[in-house]
């Protein structure tokens, strides 16, 4: 693994840095998990697209720059360093899109990806159900074949759908063969949320933002062209999506490197007024900063593996465990440094509340530890 950057990669970094410096809003946008904030973020997403920065690693025909994975990592580092707005299109761009590239037909790629890159179609995830959280094989939402109409009838309920109240489309698993075993008989569907029979009901999260939704489907018709990856092949398609969610594409190290640098800045500021408190938490702050560097090195090793054609597989579970627990350590340390003067509405408090969800979403950490034990360490199943 070469840790140096080539001349062209350094040039790419300079171009990205210059554009971000000239375009990132001076004031932070309101939370993208509120309706008003989501609308403001969409304007930002469309500005990114007009400058071809919304999907830098995609081929140019779909709105990207054809950048390499290394250049994508560089862009992510610069993006977070610049304090640019959160990406409210991330479920589509970072989760669904890699799956469409791998399993989609040419027609699906042409129809779905350019509109996703331009933030015209906004995608949310339809995994969790009231009776099936991280256990995807337990889902009960069903798909019944409607041969006369050339499609499927979907019924059931999805919940914990991030930004579902603001999005236009949903991707998710439905049971298309009720007689098959748990992991079989599932199909992966793409569903417009304005279709007859769809009801979307938003609800608030722990931090008060309204970004979650429940989605009810009552005999919703979806044509055959909106099955992704083949009928009853949904499990393997979904595993590709969850691998993206737990691993590289959703959690680039840029986010944690930026947070670690901000943590050290906070420690320096606290040291000026409260030297004893700063000293008490010095080692924790340094440990968190070092862990962020370690995560970056682990990611670089994974990118090396991918570019050499080696599969990442279950190692994405290691990623998920590491970044979700690192995120909590970073924010807990910052709040302890600030002490009784901790802001109640500031970015560290807001970030801490969100970090608590990390061990739950993208598959709970208990599930990830089971995967690591069985698939990476070769330990026997219970």
């Amino acid at each position: 693994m070469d840790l140096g950057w080539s001349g062209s990669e350094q040039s790419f970094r300079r171009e990205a840095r210059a554009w971000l410096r000239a375009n990132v809003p001076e004031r932070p946008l309101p939370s993208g998990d509120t309706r008003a904030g989501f609308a403001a973020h969409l304007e930002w997403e469309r500005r990114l697209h007009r400058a071809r920065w919304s999907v830098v690693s995609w081929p140019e025909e779909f709105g990207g720059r054809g950048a390499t994975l290394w250049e994508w990592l560089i862009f992510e580092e610069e993006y977070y360093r610049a304090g640019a707005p959160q990406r409210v299109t991330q479920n589509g761009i970072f989760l669904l899109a890699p799956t469409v590239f791998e399993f989609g037909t040419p027609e699906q790629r042409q129809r779905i990806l350019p509109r996703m890159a331009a933030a015209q179609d906004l995608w949310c995830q339809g995994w969790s159900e009231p009776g099936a959280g991280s256990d995807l094989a337990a889902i009960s939402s069903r798909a019944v074949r409607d041969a006369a109409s050339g499609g499927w009838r979907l019924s059931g309920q999805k919940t914990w759908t991030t930004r579902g109240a603001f999005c236009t489309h949903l991707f998710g698993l439905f049971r298309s063969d009720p007689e098959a075993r748990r992991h079989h008989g599932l199909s992966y569907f793409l569903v417009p949320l304005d279709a007859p029979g769809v009801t979307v009901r938003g609800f608030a999260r722990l931090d008060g933002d309204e970004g979650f939704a429940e989605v009810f489907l009552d005999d919703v018709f979806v044509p055959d062209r909106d099955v992704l990856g083949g009928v009853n092949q949904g499990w393997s398609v979904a595993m590709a999506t969850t691998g993206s969610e737990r691993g590289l594409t959703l959690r680039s190290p840029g986010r944690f490197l930026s947070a670690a640098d901000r943590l050290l800045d906070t420690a320096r500021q606290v040291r000026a007024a409260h030297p004893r408190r700063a000293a008490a938490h010095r080692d924790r702050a340094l440990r968190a900063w070092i862990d962020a560097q370690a995560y970056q090195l682990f990611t670089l090793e994974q990118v090396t593996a991918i570019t050499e054609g080696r599969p990442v597989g279950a190692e994405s579970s290691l990623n998920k465990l590491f970044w979700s627990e690192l995120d909590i350590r970073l924010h807990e340390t910052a709040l302890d440094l600030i002490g009784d003067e901790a802001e109640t509405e500031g970015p560290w408090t807001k970030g801490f509340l969100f970090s608590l969800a990390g061990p739950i979403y993208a598959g709970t950490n208990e599930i990830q530890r089971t995967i690591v034990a069985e698939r990476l360490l070769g330990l026997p199943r219970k």
Side-chain angles (χ1 to χ4, degrees):
M1 183 172 68
D2 182 358
L3 295 179
W5 299 111
S6 69
S8 64
E9 288 163 346
Q10 291 172 2
S11 175
F12 181 88
R13 183 186 294 278
R14 286 193 294 272
E15 183 183 0
R17 182 176 296 178
W19 189 87
L20 289 164
R21 185 184 296 128
N23 287 276
V24 168
E26 292 184 6
R27 294 183 178 179
L29 301 180
S31 170
D33 291 306
T34 62
R35 188 169 293 279
F38 190 80
H41 280 74
L42 279 187
E43 289 301 315
W44 167 251
E45 292 285 349
R46 288 163 183 161
R47 186 187 302 181
L48 283 171
H49 176 256
R50 289 193 292 272
R52 293 195 306 117
W53 290 112
S54 67
V55 288
V56 296
S57 61
W58 290 15
E60 292 185 13
E61 66 177 298
F62 300 121
R65 289 173 172 255
T68 66
L69 267 178
W70 302 110
E71 289 169 334
W72 173 76
L73 283 173
I74 289 171
F75 177 72
E76 290 287 295
E77 283 184 19
E78 294 301 326
Y79 192 90
Y80 283 102
R81 182 175 291 144
Q86 68 182 122
R87 301 295 305 273
V88 296
T89 54
Q90 63 184 19
N91 278 342
I93 289 173
F94 297 135
L95 301 186
L96 176 60
T99 314
V100 172
F101 276 117
E102 183 175 356
F103 294 95
T105 64
E107 185 277 331
Q108 286 175 325
R109 294 188 196 116
Q110 289 294 340
R111 174 163 52 93
I112 295 169
L113 295 173
R115 292 183 61 82
M116 184 190 296
Q120 293 172 307
D121 292 341
L122 306 164
W123 292 84
C124 60
Q125 194 180 50
W127 289 152
S128 295
E129 298 183 0
S134 292
D135 185 6
L136 276 183
I139 67 167
S140 60
S141 292
R142 64 186 185 277
V144 178
R145 179 76 178 135
D146 183 345
S149 301
W152 296 79
R153 298 283 176 180
L154 308 182
S155 297
Q157 179 186 353
K158 302 292 182 179
T159 190
W160 310 116
T161 307
T162 301
R163 303 189 191 101
F166 316 137
C167 289
T168 62
H169 290 70
L170 173 145
F171 59 92
L173 280 181
F174 292 80
R175 191 161 294 284
S176 48
D177 182 356
E179 304 301 322
R181 289 179 296 163
R182 278 166 44 94
H183 298 79
H184 302 270
L186 298 168
S187 296
Y188 194 116
F189 284 92
L190 309 173
V191 186
L193 291 177
D194 63 353
V198 175
T199 301
V200 179
R201 186 166 65 194
F203 61 93
R205 304 185 315 196
L206 172 66
D207 61 4
D209 287 355
E210 52 187 321
F212 278 165
E214 295 174 296
V215 181
F216 300 87
L217 302 104
D218 182 12
D219 201 34
V220 176
F221 178 74
V222 174
D224 288 333
R225 70 174 190 165
D226 284 335
V227 177
L228 182 62
V231 175
N232 296 336
Q233 302 302 310
W235 184 256
S236 59
V237 184
M239 289 304 98
T241 302
T242 58
S244 297
E245 186 177 22
R246 294 164 187 166
L248 178 63
T249 56
L250 187 58
R251 290 292 175 263
S252 71
R255 171 185 170 190
F256 304 104
L257 292 171
S258 175
D261 287 342
R262 285 196 297 116
L263 176 62
L264 293 192
D265 287 342
T266 299
R268 294 187 189 100
Q269 293 166 12
V270 171
R271 186 174 59 189
H274 305 284
R276 293 181 64 180
R277 188 196 305 162
H281 298 293
R282 181 188 59 187
D283 289 353
R284 289 175 61 201
L286 288 173
R287 180 75 252 175
W289 185 87
I290 291 170
D291 286 348
Q293 313 307 308
Y295 181 63
Q296 182 192 36
L297 292 174
F298 181 72
T299 302
L300 295 177
E301 194 280 333
Q302 283 207 312
V303 171
T304 300
I306 292 170
T307 55
E308 292 177 350
R310 290 183 277 132
V312 173
E315 289 184 20
S316 63
S317 293
L318 287 176
N319 267 35
K320 203 273 172 166
L321 286 167
F322 196 89
W323 62 249
S324 59
E325 294 176 359
L326 168 61
D327 206 20
I328 292 176
R329 289 199 298 278
L330 283 164
H331 287 85
E332 279 182 338
T333 305
L335 292 180
D336 287 342
L337 273 165
I338 298 169
D340 294 339
E341 299 153 21
E343 69 270 63
T344 56
E345 297 293 335
W348 283 117
T349 301
K350 186 86 171 175
F352 172 69
L353 291 176
F354 182 77
S355 74
L356 296 177
I360 301 172
Y361 68 82
T364 66
N365 282 13
E366 288 80 4
I367 293 283
Q368 305 316 310
R369 285 192 162 85
T370 298
I371 292 172
V372 170
E374 294 177 354
R375 301 184 194 175
L376 295 180
L377 301 179
L379 297 178
R381 291 175 178 268
K382 285 184 179 178

